[in-house]
């Protein structure tokens, strides 16, 4: 049985004090909710505040990105040990916004994944096709290339710390969601690709989140698909009630 996992990607939203307010609203809404991993990924500047605010709750902390080196002359960057010291246990890597606006390639994502694992972070690795890819029938080709490139060279133990987020680029922040059937089709394809890359046991145990305009009103249907093991939530994660409903739908 794969335990569902719901993560909130706050992107470049919320100052420290706003982040604390959001957590304060969220904690009572999730009181007593069990059987699901919940992760909040605020911007770097709010990590410490959120880390403190979630102490003693079942909520875990994640970052939205990191550098592959542990320290050094990389102005503006943040390393895995810096995240670990704030009690972050997850990091999102290869988000389509990082790939599009900051030129992150599969090789870069792979280097970051290895660095995250060597610092005992769980990596939430994002893959997904653009609308152009989908309309030209290239979804599977693109997703397979991203998986093989971003996750090259991992061993069985490494895979235990990998979560895949399938995020069709055309559904991110657009209000346009993949239908449950469209999402399930790609999730099943991703599981098959992991089986080919590693083996069927790893494929069966790897959690695959859906991301792309998931919200309280569509979460239940998406999350009831056999290969959808949770969600990576952008916009709806900025609203405590909406995010809490998604978490409950995942149980
Ligand atoms: C995301 O950016 O990971 C995401 C899924 O965003 P949204 O939910 O806003 O589409």
């Amino acid at each position: 049985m794969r335990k569902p996992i719901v993560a909130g990607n706050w992107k470049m939203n919320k100052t420290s004090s706003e982040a604390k307010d959001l957590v304060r609203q969220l904690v009572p809404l999730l009181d007593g909710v069990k059987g699901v991993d919940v992760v909040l990924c605020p911007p770097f500047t709010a990590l410490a505040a959120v880390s403190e605010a979630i102490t003693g709750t079942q909520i875990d902390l994640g970052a939205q990105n990191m550098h592959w080196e542990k320290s050094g002359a990389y102005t503006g960057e943040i390393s895995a040990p810096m995240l670990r010291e704030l009690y972050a246990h997850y990091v999102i890597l290869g988000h389509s916004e990082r790939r599009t606006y900051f030129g992150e390639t599969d090789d870069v994502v792979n280097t970051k994944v290895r660095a995250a694992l060597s610092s005992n972070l769980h990596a939430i690795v994002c893959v997904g096709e653009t609308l152009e890819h989908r309309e030209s029938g290239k979804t599977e080709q693109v997703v397979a290339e991203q998986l093989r490139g971003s996750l090259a060279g991992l061993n069985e133990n490494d895979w235990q710390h990998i979560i895949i987020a399938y995020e069709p680029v055309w559904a991110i922040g657009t209000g346009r969601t993949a239908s449950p059937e469209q999402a399930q089709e790609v999730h099943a394809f991703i599981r098959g690709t992991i089986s080919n890359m590693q083996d069927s046991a790893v494929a069966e145990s790897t959690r695959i989140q859906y991301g792309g305009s998931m919200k309280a009103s569509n979460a239940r249907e998406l999350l009831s698909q056999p290969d959808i093991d949770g969600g990576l939530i952008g916009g709806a994660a900025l609203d405590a009630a909406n995010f809490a409903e998604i978490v409950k739908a995942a149980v």
Side-chain angles (χ1 to χ4, degrees):
M1 260 298 265
R2 296 181 295 268
K3 188 177 185 188
I5 175 166
V6 177
N9 172 15
W10 293 3
K11 311 195 187 195
M12 196 172 70
N13 295 294
K14 304 290 175 193
T15 63
S16 269
S17 53
E18 290 167 347
K20 265 190 267 183
D21 283 347
L22 181 51
V23 176
R24 242 179 251 134
Q25 292 169 38
L26 189 59
V27 167
L29 300 178
L30 294 181
D31 193 32
V33 177
K34 290 195 175 70
V36 52
D37 288 334
V38 182
V39 185
L40 298 181
C41 304
F44 291 138
T45 48
L47 280 168
V50 172
S51 183
E52 201 186 319
I54 60 176
T55 303
T57 74
Q58 86 275 38
I59 303 172
D60 218 322
L61 186 66
Q64 299 171 19
N65 180 34
M66 55 166 254
H67 196 270
W68 58 82
E69 291 292 347
K70 286 187 161 61
S71 63
Y74 298 100
T75 303
E77 293 290 332
I78 300 285
S79 73
M82 294 172 182
L83 300 177
R84 285 303 312 252
E85 203 180 277
L86 295 174
Y87 304 104
H89 295 115
Y90 293 83
V91 60
I92 300 169
L93 294 173
H95 190 280
S96 69
E97 286 152 17
R98 301 286 325 161
R99 293 177 187 264
T100 304
Y101 303 131
F102 302 99
E104 288 195 11
T105 61
D106 291 331
D107 279 351
V108 167
V109 177
N110 185 240
T111 309
K112 291 185 175 192
V113 168
R114 289 158 183 261
L117 297 178
S118 76
S119 285
N120 293 322
L121 286 164
H122 297 273
I124 298 176
V125 181
C126 304
V127 297
E129 81 287 0
T130 62
L131 189 58
E132 202 184 333
H133 291 139
R134 177 161 280 268
E135 286 177 344
S136 56
K138 292 201 179 121
T139 297
E140 293 191 351
Q141 181 194 324
V142 167
V143 168
E145 264 170 32
Q146 290 174 337
L147 288 169
R148 289 184 185 281
S150 305
L151 298 162
L154 304 192
N155 63 34
E156 198 178 326
N157 183 50
D158 293 335
W159 274 97
Q160 290 176 21
H161 306 282
I162 298 290
I163 295 112
I164 308 289
Y166 167 58
E167 300 208 305
V169 178
W170 48 271
I172 297 179
T174 58
R176 199 177 154 187
T177 320
S179 69
E181 296 73 26
Q182 280 175 321
Q184 167 57 27
E185 195 180 4
V186 182
H187 280 238
F189 172 76
I190 290 172
R191 209 172 294 290
T193 306
I194 298 171
S195 185
N196 292 336
M197 288 168 67
Q198 198 67 33
D199 59 48
S200 59
V202 166
E204 279 310 308
S205 63
T206 301
R207 295 180 291 180
I208 308 173
Q209 299 173 309
Y210 169 79
S213 299
M214 194 191 268
K215 43 189 181 284
S217 58
N218 61 22
R220 211 164 285 278
E221 243 198 315
L222 285 158
L223 292 164
S224 65
Q225 298 298 311
D227 287 294
I228 300 186
D229 307 313
L232 181 56
I233 319 300
L238 299 173
D239 179 81
N242 208 326
F243 186 70
E245 280 310 305
I246 299 171
V247 171
K248 289 176 190 166
V251 176

